Amino acid sequence: MAEKIATREAYGKALAELGRINDKVIAFDADLSGSTMSKFFRAEFPDRFFEAGIAEANMISMAAGASTMGLIPFCSSFAMFATGRAYEQIRNSVGYPGFNVKICGSHAGLSVGEDGATHQCLEDVALMRLIPGMTVIAPADAKEARKAVFAIAEHEGPVYIRTARLATPVLEEDYPFEIGKANLLTKGPDAVVFAYGLMVAEVLEAYKILKAQGIDITIVNMHTIKPIDRECVLREAARCKKVFTLEEATTIGGIGDAVSDVLLGNVACKFRKIGVHDEFGRSGKALDVLRAFGLQSDLIAEEIMANL
């Protein structure tokens, strides 16, 4: 069985690792460093760690100011608070001037589980996509989360990175990571599935189920949701003619809309979004909640088969 590591843990350890080689990196948190895992950075670099308390808007504003001094601030909080409560500050104090601030929303999606709908941020990807110039990244596993941290530190401009509470499988292959370039994980003719985050591991399991039924699909890890890899989307959609998007988030404004925007007027294909359709989440064990919304591998396979 594949090793399971939460992407939030990989993010926190990578941030500390980054801090050792880049003294311009500083970290902010909003009273959640034990959960966002920025605690690893805090332990090694207490003089470069700034606790904002339960004041996410202040945290973003402080980070925006710090970025004007040539520093590279990483802000961490739950996705609900980082993108929801502090949206105005992200838009006006980071996005509008194009400041070099990195925002990590941990505990994103339904897999927060027992914390329920108030903390299951399903809108973060849509909110961050709306901001001009914002790069939006959601790593599929721990290895990709580490690579993403180093990549966004080199990238000039605002970035949102989405991590999860739930420990999930580390993919067997060590794929390259380049902002804006998707990774092709399988290549079959019957359909293409564009996925990101925790859903990548689920659709890889669904692939095995479908393969046993004689259905061979292409899986694309769309770790960078914005800027989207247009070339990959157009190429794989034109080749397969049947397109699915898969996300542990609302389908309104998420990767489904991002992919459909690319395809509209360019590729004639059958298209379906798999995700949360205009609903709030609900409280329960993480895997049970994912199942309730049809986001486990066997249910994903059924959805794909039903719509081929």
Side-chain angles (χ1 to χ4, degrees):
M1 182 176 293
E3 181 184 16
K4 290 187 177 183
I5 302 173
T7 50
R8 62 169 173 146
E9 180 181 346
Y11 161 83
K13 290 180 177 178
L15 186 58
E17 186 182 351
L18 177 64
R20 295 177 207 134
I21 61 173
N22 190 336
D23 60 9
K24 293 185 181 298
V25 172
I26 61 173
F28 292 84
D29 207 292
D31 198 39
L32 288 168
S33 62
S35 297
T36 65
M37 297 296 172
S38 68
K39 66 179 183 180
F40 294 110
F41 188 95
R42 180 188 65 192
E44 289 197 45
F45 309 104
D47 293 341
R48 289 155 59 189
F49 179 88
F50 303 93
E51 176 57 71
I54 307 174
E56 292 80 5
N58 288 347
M59 175 180 70
I60 296 297
S61 296
M62 288 189 288
S67 72
T68 68
M69 306 298 291
L71 299 170
I72 307 172
F74 279 72
C75 297
S76 307
S77 187
F78 286 5
M80 178 56 66
F81 309 138
T83 65
R85 187 175 292 167
Y87 183 79
E88 180 190 350
Q89 283 68 32
I90 295 172
R91 180 189 185 276
N92 290 338
S93 298
V94 175
Y96 182 49
F99 285 162
N100 194 31
V101 175
K102 319 304 175 184
I103 301 157
C104 175
S106 78
H107 292 60
L110 293 168
S111 55
V112 176
E114 290 89 344
D115 288 358
T118 57
H119 285 55
Q120 292 165 345
C121 192
L122 308 178
E123 308 87 359
D124 56 322
V125 170
L127 286 171
M128 293 299 99
R129 278 189 66 231
L130 285 171
I131 297 175
M134 180 69 74
T135 295
V136 181
I137 290 171
D141 70 349
K143 289 190 290 189
E144 193 163 74
R146 178 189 176 275
K147 291 177 182 178
V149 168
F150 281 81
I152 67 176
E154 294 295 322
H155 175 81
E156 186 68 29
V159 177
Y160 175 66
I161 180 169
R162 181 188 223 238
T163 66
R165 175 189 192 180
L166 184 67
T168 49
V170 177
L171 304 185
E172 291 181 9
E173 292 193 45
D174 194 14
Y175 295 97
F177 182 90
E178 182 181 349
I179 294 174
K181 292 294 181 183
N183 286 327
L184 201 67
L185 308 188
T186 67
K187 189 172 182 178
D190 296 326
V192 58
V193 181
F194 296 98
Y196 64 82
L198 274 57
M199 291 296 100
V200 172
E202 293 293 338
V203 76
L204 283 170
E205 288 301 310
Y207 171 83
K208 298 174 185 177
I209 298 170
L210 293 167
K211 192 80 168 176
Q213 298 294 321
I215 299 168
D216 192 4
I217 64 170
T218 293
I219 297 173
V220 177
N221 173 14
M222 194 64 72
H223 55 67
T224 305
I225 303 161
K226 184 186 176 186
I228 197 165
D229 189 341
R230 291 180 58 88
E231 180 183 351
C232 176
V233 170
L234 292 169
R235 181 186 67 243
E236 297 307 320
R239 183 174 63 84
C240 297
K241 302 297 183 184
K242 298 180 183 68
V243 178
F244 296 84
T245 57
L246 175 61
E247 52 195 324
E248 187 206 354
T250 178
T251 56
I252 301 171
I255 193 176
D257 283 0
V259 168
S260 64
D261 285 349
V262 174
L263 297 178
L264 188 63
N266 293 311
V267 178
C269 60
K270 187 172 183 179
F271 181 87
R272 185 166 181 84
K273 303 177 191 177
I274 304 174
V276 182
H277 300 288
D278 201 23
E279 291 183 66
F280 288 105
R282 62 192 73 160
S283 181
K285 293 186 182 301
L287 297 181
D288 291 341
V289 177
L290 288 171
R291 189 158 198 85
F293 283 86
L295 296 178
Q296 286 197 302
S297 58
D298 58 328
L299 300 177
I300 293 166
E302 288 177 13
E303 182 79 1
I304 292 171
M305 283 189 284
N307 288 279
L308 284 179

